[in-house]
Amino acid sequence: MFDEELFDLSAFIFVAFSCGYKEDVIPSTSLPKIIPGGIGGAYNIAIFTLNGTYGVSGKCFIKYACKTKPNPLVYDDSLATMVEPGFGPHAHFFNLKSGFYYISANGKYKGNNIQGDTLIEVRDTQAHSVDFNLQVR
């Protein structure tokens, strides 16, 4: 009437091949948290590079959506500092979204290469243009 071995083999083949290929699914708790930030927003920041109270000319770098020092040191944008009447050396980054940014700057002071870095959070509740002092040593 009914061949039990044939049924077991049929059931095995059905189970083994009916599922097809499945990709590994990473649970959402193990995915890295996305930190908002980047261009396309309404916020502007000016980075004033200082050694104590003395303005330092050099270059400023920015990494979008970043809460730690990037490794490797790859930045999304960079600008040379400029001096405007009444203001010391600084760099402007425009049209930023709210979020986190890693800022680094370097320059020369009394013949020595100096560098500084910091993390900045741009918040929805802040003014649309904000100045930050970055100490370079």
Side-chain angles (χ1 to χ4, degrees):
M1 220 178 15
F2 175 98
D3 187 356
E4 200 170 308
E5 285 181 47
L6 183 58
F7 177 77
D8 289 343
L9 180 61
S10 299
F12 171 77
I13 291 172
F14 177 77
V15 170
F17 295 104
S18 66
C19 295
Y21 176 76
K22 289 186 180 179
E23 293 185 32
D24 291 335
V25 177
I26 301 170
S28 62
T29 56
S30 66
L31 292 175
K33 184 178 179 187
I34 296 172
I35 304 165
I39 57 172
Y43 300 96
N44 304 317
I45 60 174
I47 307 298
F48 286 83
T49 50
L50 301 170
N51 184 280
T53 58
Y54 181 78
V56 177
S57 293
K59 195 163 188 176
C60 291
F61 304 86
I62 188 168
K63 177 71 176 169
Y64 307 140
C66 190
K67 279 182 116 172
T68 60
K69 186 174 187 174
N71 186 14
L73 287 174
V74 177
Y75 296 97
D76 295 308
D77 199 1
S78 65
L79 295 168
T81 59
M82 63 180 175
V83 178
E84 294 175 305
F87 296 96
H90 64 284
H92 291 275
F93 294 99
F94 296 103
N95 302 320
L96 300 175
K97 296 178 183 177
S98 61
F100 292 91
Y101 299 87
Y102 181 82
I103 307 290
S104 181
N106 59 40
K108 278 197 180 278
Y109 180 69
K110 295 185 178 179
N112 296 314
N113 292 325
I114 55 178
Q115 190 269 334
D117 53 16
T118 190
L119 293 169
I120 292 176
E121 181 182 8
V122 174
R123 296 184 180 158
D124 289 330
T125 57
Q126 77 182 38
H128 286 276
S129 291
V130 178
D131 297 343
F132 291 97
N133 292 331
L134 177 58
Q135 290 294 321
V136 288
R137 301 190 189 280

